[in-house]
Amino acid sequence: MKNPIDVNLTSPEVLKDPFPTYDLLREKAPVYHVADDDIYVLTRFDDVRSALRTHEDFSSVAMGRIHSHGLGRSDGKSDVSMDEFAAQLETTRNMATSDPPDHTVMRRFLAKRFTPKRIEAWTSKVQGFADDLLDDLIEAQKGGSADLAHDYAYSLPLIIIAEMLGVPYERRQEFRRWSDQAVGIFSGAPLTQEVQMGCLQLAAFFAEQVAMRRANPGGDDLISLLIEKNPDDDPEAMMDDGVIVQTCTLLLIAGHETTANLLCNATLSLMEHPEQRAELENDFSLIPNMVEEVLRWNSPIQAVYRATTRDVEVAGVTIPKDKTVLCCVGAANRDENIFPNANQFDIHRDIEEHLGLGSGNHFCIGAHLSRIEGRIGMETLLRRTRNMQLSGEPTRALGNILRGWTHLPVKFDIVEPSESTDS
Ligand code: HEM
């Protein structure tokens, strides 16, 4: 297939600011073929949404082979036994990489135990951890090295998911290291031995945690709930320990860096729009809508993969069967046909639907939790700091899937408790 324009989605300039390229693609080449990787890229809202909602044509198996079939992966960047590792991961069953009917069973199984009511019950704990972490960030600033990404944004979702899963406190540091390594798969970085080891160690860790709970059942953490079988959980056989281990790993990986990026992207968006930050400081009720606008405007997940199950026509182009398709939710979320002045950040925007948390049967199962963490994480920052600015060069997360930061050095004024707005 011949493209009407030529773009390079993995060049450092485009990764830094992909939005002008997305604008071009939506207008001139809504189905763009990356010949080197044989990947088809969708950028218009309606096309991306429809692909995410049509699992019969667009399978999620592609999500299980990002490391081997992702954008920029065809150049053999991996430095170790990729085939073996890939084979191992591709046989892994989890809900993000499955289609119905398997997906439906796994999703229902988790959804029954990861309910909005249970998540809601964590609100005050999220607030407590956010305040503790902000105390640490303030201390770090006194020492001259406050890093909003490392010290605050990454730590908050990691602590929450570790607490929910019931990971013992003394194992937190290892857990964090493996999880950071495992997330490397989504960063577009080479599949190094380190990344592979992180994934394998994390799986071994959860296998050990599952075995411990089998030996000593009845706890109220999420892993204990996952090993309990309810009489109405139908095809029981599917929920073996392998799937439970994969579910825990998925929850950690899917919920950790994404939420961290939401907090970093929100903070930076407000640094770029100080007048909107000032409004929020005076009215915390605007924060939930601001979080939605960040999910749209600066989506922490920019794209997800699908694989065609047959020849499929999109915007007049036939995508052949068995091809990898990159559904750019970050581009769809800037579609002018849906969002007037789409490239403008506006905390007052009336958003009917964005695709920052996906759409269809794989719609983010952690959406409620991420919104609570986003709201409380940002409210705590807005309540306790003023004039937040960069104090050094930030480090961007690698790759075209995640949009965020691994280091965000900041400086800020501290609001003393008596001065804080009672919003
Ligand atoms: C701002 C934070 C978050 C963002 C931007 C985000 C985004 C997404 C997106 C776009 C999808 C759809 C993937 C697809 O269609 O292939 C998804 C699915 C998923 N998310 Fe999130 N997510 C966030 C937070 C979380 C949290 C906190 C958790 C759990 C602790 C979580 C767990 C999951 C899981 C398990 C799936 C797979 C659902 C399925 O396949 O049915 N996410 N997320």
Side-chain angles (χ1 to χ4, degrees):
M1 165 190 164
K2 174 122 185 61
N3 292 310
I5 52 167
D6 205 13
V7 300
N8 178 357
L9 283 162
T10 49
S11 75
E13 305 76 54
V14 173
L15 289 177
K16 194 171 161 204
D17 180 9
F19 300 107
T21 305
Y22 290 163
D23 290 347
L24 254 179
L25 288 174
R26 271 193 320 271
E27 190 192 332
K28 310 249 186 231
V31 181
Y32 183 82
H33 184 229
V34 181
D36 286 351
D37 303 309
D38 199 11
I39 288 178
Y40 291 78
V41 181
L42 308 184
T43 43
R44 286 185 182 162
F45 186 93
D46 288 344
D47 297 339
V48 171
R49 184 172 179 273
S50 156
L52 297 185
R53 287 173 161 251
T54 321
H55 65 83
E56 297 85 355
D57 297 344
F58 294 92
S59 160
S60 282
V61 294
M63 289 298 277
R65 47 185 209 209
I66 291 179
H67 53 290
S68 54
H69 290 61
L71 211 60
R73 295 295 187 150
S74 59
D75 58 3
K77 276 189 291 185
S78 170
D79 62 357
V80 277
S81 60
M82 185 151 112
D83 288 348
E84 206 181 307
F85 187 70
Q88 195 177 338
L89 277 191
E90 271 172 36
T91 54
T92 308
R93 286 179 301 158
N94 76 41
M95 90 187 71
T97 61
S98 307
D99 299 313
D102 289 0
H103 171 264
T104 317
V105 177
M106 290 188 228
R107 174 125 182 165
R108 199 186 312 136
F109 182 76
L110 177 62
K112 272 191 204 162
R113 292 151 177 87
F114 194 59
T115 57
K117 195 169 161 218
R118 267 187 216 280
I119 292 166
E120 202 69 46
W122 281 80
T123 307
S124 62
K125 280 203 177 180
V126 176
Q127 183 62 70
F129 287 123
D131 272 313
D132 290 349
L133 290 168
L134 206 72
D135 289 343
D136 295 347
L137 192 72
I138 289 172
E139 278 309 302
Q141 162 155 275
K142 287 181 189 155
S145 66
D147 180 344
L148 186 99
H150 183 269
D151 303 336
Y152 188 75
Y154 275 75
S155 301
L156 186 61
L158 190 71
I159 293 176
I160 298 299
I161 197 68
E163 285 273 321
M164 282 185 167
L165 290 167
V167 173
Y169 190 78
E170 59 282 4
R171 306 289 303 272
R172 290 287 162 76
Q173 285 312 321
E174 291 169 288
F175 182 69
R176 179 169 192 157
R177 183 159 40 85
W178 297 329
S179 133
D180 285 347
Q181 287 163 354
V183 167
I185 288 206
F186 294 91
S187 70
L191 187 67
T192 59
Q193 200 146 20
E194 205 187 14
V195 172
Q196 297 192 25
M197 282 308 288
C199 294
L200 297 174
Q201 284 173 316
L202 202 55
F205 170 79
F206 281 127
E208 185 192 308
Q209 295 294 314
V210 168
M212 278 165 55
R213 284 163 180 79
R214 285 240 180 267
N216 198 1
D220 63 356
D221 58 71
L222 194 49
I223 301 181
S224 297
L225 296 179
L226 287 171
I227 65 164
E228 256 176 34
K229 301 225 160 144
N230 289 345
D232 57 340
D233 280 335
D234 33 329
E236 282 294 329
M238 174 173 245
M239 305 317 296
D240 58 23
D241 284 1
V243 180
I244 293 175
V245 165
Q246 286 309 318
T247 303
C248 295
T249 313
L250 176 66
L251 281 173
L252 172 69
I253 294 182
H256 166 204
E257 186 145 337
T258 47
T259 311
N261 290 340
L262 168 64
L263 293 170
C264 288
N265 292 352
T267 305
L268 276 172
S269 305
L270 297 181
M271 279 184 201
E272 289 166 24
H273 299 88
E275 69 300 341
Q276 298 194 44
R277 173 169 169 139
E279 270 191 78
L280 290 162
E281 284 169 2
N282 289 318
D283 185 357
F284 290 171
S285 72
L286 298 172
I287 293 176
N289 207 57
M290 177 272 286
V291 168
E292 296 308 313
E293 177 66 344
V294 174
L295 286 167
R296 179 197 75 82
W297 189 70
N298 218 339
S299 313
I301 290 195
Q302 287 284 304
V304 296
Y305 284 97
R306 293 294 186 263
T308 46
T309 58
R310 60 175 184 88
D311 290 2
V312 187
E313 196 183 307
V314 180
V317 174
T318 301
I319 307 177
K321 184 180 175 191
D322 288 335
K323 295 294 175 191
T324 302
V325 178
L326 185 71
C327 302
C328 282
V329 295
N333 281 337
R334 298 277 189 121
D335 190 330
E336 279 287 328
N337 288 323
I338 308 292
F339 307 103
N341 299 318
N343 283 323
Q344 258 173 38
F345 176 71
D346 177 4
I347 59 169
H348 297 288
R349 185 183 293 276
D350 188 5
I351 303 172
E352 194 177 313
E353 182 189 5
H354 63 68
L355 301 181
L357 295 164
S359 189
N361 60 348
H362 290 275
F363 178 76
C364 179
I365 202 167
H368 193 49
L369 178 60
S370 68
R371 285 173 166 140
I372 290 177
E373 291 178 342
R375 174 176 62 76
I376 294 179
M378 290 314 293
E379 188 176 312
T380 309
L381 274 183
L382 290 165
R383 178 164 41 82
R384 298 188 55 190
T385 71
R386 288 286 179 276
N387 305 321
M388 190 168 273
Q389 290 163 35
L390 289 177
S391 63
E393 202 50 47
T395 315
R396 190 172 272 293
L398 291 170
N400 66 303
I401 300 291
L402 298 168
R403 182 166 174 80
W405 304 87
T406 50
H407 293 289
L408 208 57
V410 290
K411 56 182 180 183
F412 51 88
D413 299 332
I414 301 162
V415 179
E416 296 307 332
S418 55
E419 299 171 36
S420 67
T421 334
D422 188 21
S423 292

